[in-house]
Amino acid sequence: MRFSAPALAVVSLLALNPSVHAQEQPQWVNELPHSDNQNYRAVATAETQAKAMQAALAAIAQQVAVSIRSESLSLYEKQSTGQSTQTQTRFTLNVAGQSVPLQFNDISPEQSYRHADGSISVKVAVSKQAVSKFLQNQIAQYRSLRFPSDANASQQLLWSLRYKESLKTANAYALALEQIDQTQSNNPFKNQLSLLTQAEQSLGLRIVASRNLNALVGVIQRHTPTHSEPNLWLQLEQKSQQRAQGSLYLHRQQLIASVTEPRSPFRQLHQQVIEVIGEGTTPDAAAADAQNQLKLKVEQPVSSWLFDASSE
C-alpha cells in the first residue's frame, strides 16, 4: 500500500478584484453577508487588505465548521503573500474528534472599500462547490486504505499501528463532505474504522524495554492496544553520544524501536530509529533535553514516529 502524504488542494476562486479607493461608504460594509446555496460569504475590516482578507476567510471557515457540525474550529496557520489581494490561509477543523485542514489560496475580494482612517473592508465569497472539491481531493489521498479484516491478528495489529490515524483522518474528511454536500453520502472509511475498532478489542502489543525507559514506555502504552496475550512485541533500545561544542554540550540520543513476533524466533517485522539531539550547559542538562524531545515524539500517535512516511 502506498499513498503520498496529503498535498493540500487549493480552494480557488476567480476574483472580481476591484481596486480599493476612498468613496462614499457602500451599504455592504455594515450589512451581514448573505451566504446562499452556492457560496459562503463574509465581510471583515482591518488595517490592511491582507489582514481583512484573513479575517474574512476565518469567518468563512467558521461557517464551514457550522455546516459540518464540527466540535470546534481553531486557526492553525495564516500566511499572506506580499500582494495584499492574495492570501494563503490554512485552518484546522475538528470533525468527529479528528483534526483536518481546510485551506484557501489566492482569493481576491468581491468588494473592497478604504475608510477615511485608512482601514480597509473587504467582502469575500468562497464557492461551496470549491470547498466540496477540496474535501474530495483530500479523500482521494486515502482511497487505497483497506483494513485487512481477513488477515491474522498480528497483521491486523501491524496495519492498525501504521494506518489507524490515516483511516481516522479519511473518515473525518468523508463526514465533512457528507455534511456540506448531501450527494456525497458514500463513506468507504466509516465501516473500516468500525472493523478496526472491533478488532483492537482482542489485539495486544507488549512493550519490551529496560527500566531506564519506563517513562517512555508509559507514554507509548496510552496509544497502543493491550491484551493478556500480545500479538506483537515492540522492543525498545536506547543509544547515546555526547560531546562539547563551545560552551554547550550536545547529547545525541537514539531510540531504536523494533516490532517483532512474540514467539521464537522473534522475527522482526519493522524497525525505526528515532534520533534527537539535546543541548545544555551541562552534560546532564543536554541529556535531559534529549529525553524530553523523545518524550514529545512518542506522545504522538504511534504511526507518527514508528513508521517512515517515505516507506508507505
Side-chain angles (χ1 to χ4, degrees):
M1 181 178 305
R2 181 180 180 88
F3 58 93
S4 61
L8 288 177
V10 173
V11 180
S12 60
L13 300 176
L14 293 177
L16 298 178
N17 194 22
S19 59
V20 178
H21 58 283
Q23 60 180 25
E24 183 179 350
Q25 181 169 302
Q27 188 175 359
W28 61 263
V29 171
N30 295 317
E31 287 183 344
L32 288 175
H34 175 65
S35 296
D36 52 36
N37 291 333
Q38 284 74 43
N39 297 288
Y40 296 104
R41 284 191 173 85
V43 171
T45 302
E47 60 268 28
T48 67
Q49 183 159 306
K51 290 183 178 180
M53 285 289 295
Q54 290 171 350
L57 291 175
I60 287 175
Q62 180 68 66
Q63 293 178 48
V64 176
V66 171
S67 297
I68 63 176
R69 304 172 188 172
S70 71
E71 300 169 4
S72 65
L73 170 75
S74 60
L75 190 60
Y76 178 81
E77 181 181 355
K78 291 199 302 186
Q79 295 179 342
S80 60
T81 66
Q83 300 179 9
S84 62
T85 58
Q86 294 184 329
T87 61
Q88 292 182 329
T89 309
R90 179 178 177 180
F91 302 89
T92 296
L93 304 178
N94 191 297
V95 186
Q98 191 74 8
S99 294
V100 293
L102 173 68
Q103 183 166 318
F104 304 117
N105 279 8
D106 299 332
I107 297 178
S108 299
E110 282 189 324
Q111 302 287 340
S112 299
Y113 173 74
R114 187 185 299 278
H115 297 266
D117 62 1
S119 61
I120 295 177
S121 293
V122 298
K123 183 178 182 180
V124 178
V126 172
S127 163
K128 290 185 178 180
Q129 183 179 6
V131 176
S132 176
K133 184 177 181 180
F134 171 87
L135 294 173
Q136 291 178 58
N137 287 338
Q138 302 311 298
I139 291 171
Q141 305 288 334
Y142 301 93
R143 286 294 184 189
S144 60
L145 282 175
R146 293 288 185 278
F147 177 69
S149 54
D150 295 330
N152 62 42
S154 295
Q155 292 171 328
Q156 288 184 349
L157 178 55
L158 188 62
W159 194 98
S160 175
L161 294 173
R162 189 167 198 160
Y163 296 114
K164 180 179 180 180
E165 293 303 311
S166 295
L167 187 57
K168 288 168 62 178
T169 296
N171 182 58
Y173 274 127
L175 290 174
L177 179 62
E178 184 178 351
Q179 289 296 327
I180 68 170
D181 186 348
Q182 298 301 315
T183 67
Q184 302 289 334
S185 58
N186 180 27
N187 179 355
F189 308 110
K190 186 176 182 179
N191 184 57
Q192 293 186 58
L193 191 58
S194 177
L195 291 174
L196 185 152
T197 303
Q198 293 175 20
E200 279 190 330
Q201 296 176 6
S202 60
L203 298 177
L205 180 74
R206 179 184 174 187
I207 303 176
V208 181
S210 58
R211 288 187 178 181
N212 64 323
L213 292 175
N214 281 349
L216 296 180
V217 170
V219 173
I220 296 171
Q221 284 177 333
R222 295 201 293 267
H223 294 283
T224 57
T226 57
H227 196 269
S228 57
E229 295 293 332
N231 305 103
L232 294 174
W233 282 6
L234 177 61
Q235 300 191 50
L236 303 179
E237 298 178 65
Q238 193 168 233
K239 294 182 180 180
S240 61
Q241 294 177 321
Q242 196 168 81
R243 66 184 179 89
Q245 181 173 293
S247 59
L248 286 178
Y249 288 90
L250 301 180
H251 188 95
R252 178 185 178 186
Q253 193 158 319
Q254 291 181 324
L255 181 66
I256 304 168
S258 303
V259 180
T260 70
E261 294 179 336
R263 287 170 288 276
S264 180
F266 305 102
R267 184 167 62 97
Q268 181 175 291
L269 305 178
H270 176 76
Q271 185 178 86
Q272 184 75 6
V273 179
I274 303 94
E275 181 177 297
V276 297
I277 297 178
E279 296 183 1
T281 56
T282 67
D284 288 345
D289 182 46
Q291 189 71 6
N292 287 335
Q293 290 184 47
L294 273 181
K295 186 176 179 181
L296 287 174
K297 283 183 178 292
V298 300
E299 281 178 347
Q300 303 302 312
V302 176
S303 58
S304 299
W305 56 267
L306 183 55
F307 299 96
D308 186 350
S310 64
S311 64
E312 296 183 359

